[in-house]
Amino acid sequence: MKTQTKLWAIVPAAGSGSRFSKTELKQYQYIQNRTVLEHTVNRLNTLDLAGCVLAIGENDNFARTLSFDHKEKLHFCLGGAERVHSVLNALIYLSEIAHVDDWVMVHDAARPCVTTACLEQLYQTAVATDQSAILAIPVRDTLKKVSQGTKIKTTVSRDQLWQAQTPQIAKLDVLKTAIESALKQQLTITDEASALEAAGQIVNIVHGRSDNIKITYPYDLELARLILASQQCG
């Protein structure tokens, strides 16, 4: 009898957020009396998760004090120097409590606006195809390649170009093996899909939404406030 696979989430939240502020972490900024991280994790928990692993910094004494929904499903592990190391640490942690074929959804700590509908569609696509998948949107703006400084070299065709988002979903052992292999080869890994691609895995795109923004700069925080307010009204 085949074991029923479960769905887990990983949120790498050990980053320094240097582009947001040299003194403040973007995931701990407040929107509607809750931190960005709380909004993000609570949105993930609208799915029927087996659990959610937060990879946090060594000196982070704040994350565990937050009032998350479904706090009983939360797990914490030590993050790493880069995002990919935090994700791998969380996968290693999960390997002790989850099945190798369980699905793992990795989501940026600073993406609090992802909709439940997108989360459900991503998960359903992965299960239906039995393949990894990511949320992404088609590139809409004209892209320019710059040769040096601010001088335009050429216009880049948007055909077949998509802007990757998170969550990104894969089976636990598949993703763990792919990341370990990529790190061993010293490849540049900017998201889970890039590790999976390097390992020869098929990764499908699920059409996301443009309001699934990643808070990167201080002005993104106000946009996230407006989006969350709009989603609640809708």
Side-chain angles (χ1 to χ4, degrees):
M1 182 176 176
K2 185 177 179 180
T3 304
Q4 181 67 35
T5 58
K6 297 177 181 179
L7 173 62
W8 302 81
I10 287 174
V11 179
S16 61
S18 57
R19 281 179 291 180
F20 184 89
S21 168
K22 292 186 181 300
T23 57
E24 298 177 331
L25 293 176
K26 56 191 174 185
Q27 64 263 34
Y28 295 140
Q29 303 308 301
Y30 279 86
I31 300 176
Q32 302 168 353
N33 298 317
R34 281 193 146 170
T35 63
V36 168
L37 184 60
E38 285 172 290
H39 283 289
T40 298
V41 172
N42 291 346
R43 193 61 62 94
L44 289 171
N45 266 317
T46 60
L47 297 181
D48 185 19
L49 297 179
C52 179
V53 182
L54 272 63
I56 60 175
E58 185 176 6
N59 298 316
D60 187 342
N61 299 313
F62 186 51
R64 297 174 190 269
T65 70
L66 297 175
S67 299
F68 296 101
D69 296 341
H70 304 289
K71 202 166 184 177
E72 73 282 357
K73 292 185 178 183
L74 285 190
H75 303 258
F76 294 89
C77 74
L78 185 63
E82 302 291 341
R83 182 184 190 278
V84 64
H85 303 110
S86 291
V87 173
L88 180 56
N89 286 356
L91 289 168
I92 292 169
Y93 176 94
L94 270 183
S95 296
E96 299 297 322
I97 59 174
H99 190 273
V100 291
D101 286 331
D102 281 355
W103 292 100
V104 179
M105 191 176 277
V106 183
H107 190 47
D108 295 329
R111 284 190 192 268
C113 303
V114 64
T115 65
T116 300
C118 281
L119 294 173
E120 290 176 343
Q121 187 179 3
L122 180 67
Y123 179 48
Q124 289 168 7
T125 298
V127 171
T129 61
D130 199 36
Q131 294 169 345
S132 305
I134 72 170
L135 287 182
I137 56 174
V139 171
R140 297 186 294 185
D141 297 323
T142 299
L143 297 176
K144 302 292 185 182
K145 185 174 183 179
V146 177
S147 58
Q148 56 180 350
T150 57
K151 294 179 181 178
I152 294 173
K153 181 177 181 180
T154 186
T155 298
V156 180
S157 173
R158 291 173 294 180
D159 294 345
Q160 298 182 311
L161 290 183
W162 290 69
Q163 180 180 328
Q165 300 180 336
T166 68
Q168 304 191 355
I169 188 171
K171 289 187 176 180
L172 171 56
D173 194 55
V174 169
L175 182 55
K176 179 174 174 288
T177 300
I179 290 177
E180 287 174 335
S181 175
L183 289 174
K184 188 175 181 179
Q185 298 176 65
Q186 298 184 321
L187 302 178
T188 299
I189 301 301
T190 55
D191 66 355
E192 291 65 55
S194 56
L196 293 164
E197 293 156 24
Q201 294 289 331
I202 295 174
V203 183
N204 294 306
I205 278 179
V206 174
H207 201 304
R209 290 172 42 135
S210 58
D211 59 1
N212 181 18
I213 66 166
K214 183 178 181 182
I215 298 171
T216 305
Y217 300 101
Y219 51 77
D220 293 329
L221 197 62
E222 183 57 35
L223 181 56
R225 285 193 182 99
L226 294 171
I227 292 171
L228 287 172
S230 174
Q231 289 175 346
Q232 288 172 356
C233 291

